């Protein structure tokens, strides 16, 4: 990690605690809508389905609207819970509206950003929806750490498409050899960044035997390398 000047962070699951905030959002919606369903049971089924549909969205196999509807529809179907399409669409809409109101960050996020900010120029590259990602940054009070914020929607393609990383580096006036991408998705963040010549750090629990990138299990471990 020599000659590094620019750090590009993913947002969800990397800095912003997506699982915790998503759970709190659904709890609010279920209470408002009077949905009599065990929440822990719902979220256990929903989480892998949501990951699957995000992968479909990343691969341009479904639209944003299909992602929002189908992840809920499949979850309720798997649970054998009868629910109207109208209510599913209401939940999908409220979820996007309410989600940025919860602002839990992953452990160590603020401490690590405070440590990195004086040493590097920090940026965001996210596949999340344009209308909610900046609200998440604002409401979790970390927007001021970042110079450039790039969403896949503003580019027109999604990570790991090279165009996203090239667009972000151009906006940041950064060269690939002086840039590092930090994210939780091996495919979208690590492989995507390395394809354009950026260095990469994978935030994940998996063991890493590769010399091509660094893997850390927590944000605190970034201090060992940066």
């Amino acid at each position: 990690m020599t000659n590094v000047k620019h750090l590009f962070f993913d947002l969800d699951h990397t800095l912003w605690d997506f699982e915790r905030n998503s759970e709190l959002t659904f709890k609010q919606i279920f209470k408002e809508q009077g949905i009599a369903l065990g929440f822990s049971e719902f979220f256990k089924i929903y989480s892998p389905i949501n990951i699957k549909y995000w992968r479909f969205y990343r691969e341009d196999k479904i639209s944003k609207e299909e992602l929002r509807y189908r992840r809920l529809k499949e979850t309720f179907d798997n649970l054998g819970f009868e629910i109207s399409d109208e209510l599913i669409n209401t939940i999908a809409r409220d979820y996007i509206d309410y989600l940025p109101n919860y602002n839990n960050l992953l452990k160590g996020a603020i401490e690590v950003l405070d440590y990195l900010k004086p040493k590097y120029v920090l940026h965001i590259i996210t596949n999340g929806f344009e209308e909610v990602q900046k609200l998440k940054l604002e409401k979790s009070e970390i927007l001021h750490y970042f110079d450039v914020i790039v969403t896949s929607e503003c580019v027109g393609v999604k990570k790991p498409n090279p165009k996203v990383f090239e667009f972000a580096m151009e906006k940041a006036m950064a060269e690939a050899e002086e840039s590092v991408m930090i994210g939780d998705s091996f495919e979208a963040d690590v492989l995507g960044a390395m394809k354009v010549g950026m260095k990469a750090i994978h935030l994940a629990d998996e063991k890493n035997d590769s010399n091509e990138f660094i893997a850390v299990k927590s944000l605190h471990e970034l201090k060992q390398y940066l």
Side-chain angles (χ1 to χ4, degrees):
M1 291 293 161
T2 56
N3 302 317
V4 174
K5 296 179 181 178
H6 296 267
L7 302 182
F8 293 83
F9 280 88
D10 178 45
L11 183 56
D12 295 337
H13 305 285
T14 300
L15 293 170
W16 198 80
D17 192 343
F18 182 88
E19 293 297 322
R20 177 63 177 150
N21 295 325
S22 184
E23 180 179 340
L24 291 169
T25 301
F26 276 122
K27 282 184 176 179
Q28 178 183 350
I29 294 170
F30 278 26
K31 183 177 181 180
E32 289 180 358
Q33 298 296 335
I35 296 173
L37 184 64
F39 185 79
S40 59
E41 184 183 5
F42 167 85
F43 209 70
K44 182 179 179 181
I45 300 297
Y46 171 81
S47 291
I49 289 174
N50 182 50
I51 291 170
K52 178 180 72 174
Y53 278 105
W54 267 103
R55 185 177 71 251
F56 290 162
Y57 177 69
R58 189 170 66 234
E59 295 170 353
D60 291 319
K61 293 179 178 178
I62 59 173
S63 67
K64 177 168 67 173
E65 291 71 24
E66 288 174 310
L67 163 65
R68 291 174 174 177
Y69 171 81
R70 289 171 60 182
R71 62 186 176 182
L72 291 171
K73 173 66 174 171
E74 186 170 323
T75 302
F76 287 120
D77 285 350
N78 284 357
L79 291 166
F81 187 84
E82 290 190 16
I83 186 170
S84 67
D85 282 349
E86 181 182 4
L87 183 51
I88 288 177
N89 286 322
T90 296
I91 295 170
R93 184 192 65 242
D94 288 348
Y95 177 80
I96 297 300
D97 289 342
Y98 296 172
L99 187 60
N101 294 332
Y102 296 96
N103 49 41
N104 293 284
L105 298 171
L106 290 183
K107 187 176 181 180
I110 296 295
E111 177 187 336
V112 169
L113 291 173
D114 281 338
Y115 167 80
L116 295 173
K117 181 65 175 175
K119 303 173 66 177
Y120 306 95
V121 187
L122 310 183
H123 315 284
I124 292 285
I125 307 177
T126 171
N127 276 351
F129 302 139
E130 177 81 17
E131 67 266 35
V132 296
Q133 296 303 80
K134 289 184 180 177
L135 279 174
K136 290 176 183 177
L137 290 163
E138 289 173 2
K139 293 191 175 187
S140 59
E141 299 183 350
I142 58 172
L143 179 63
H144 65 282
Y145 287 102
F146 304 102
D147 281 40
V148 168
I149 298 163
V150 171
T151 67
S152 59
E153 283 191 305
C154 77
V155 185
V157 293
K158 308 169 192 72
K159 295 181 295 182
N161 192 307
K163 292 180 181 178
V164 178
F165 299 96
E166 290 164 354
F167 180 89
M169 285 190 289
E170 183 177 351
K171 283 198 70 176
M173 294 184 289
E175 299 296 329
E177 58 269 18
E178 60 186 23
S179 301
V180 178
M181 180 70 205
I182 302 165
D184 69 291
S185 172
F186 180 72
E187 180 184 12
D189 299 315
V190 176
L191 293 183
M194 290 196 301
K195 282 181 181 177
V196 298
M198 297 171 73
K199 301 176 181 69
I201 298 179
H202 191 204
L203 178 63
D205 287 331
E206 300 122 28
K207 185 179 179 182
N208 170 36
D209 294 320
S210 173
N211 294 321
E212 296 182 353
F213 64 93
I214 290 170
V216 296
K217 292 185 178 181
S218 71
L219 290 171
H220 286 294
E221 288 185 51
L222 293 176
K223 292 182 178 182
Q224 299 176 25
Y225 303 98
L226 297 169

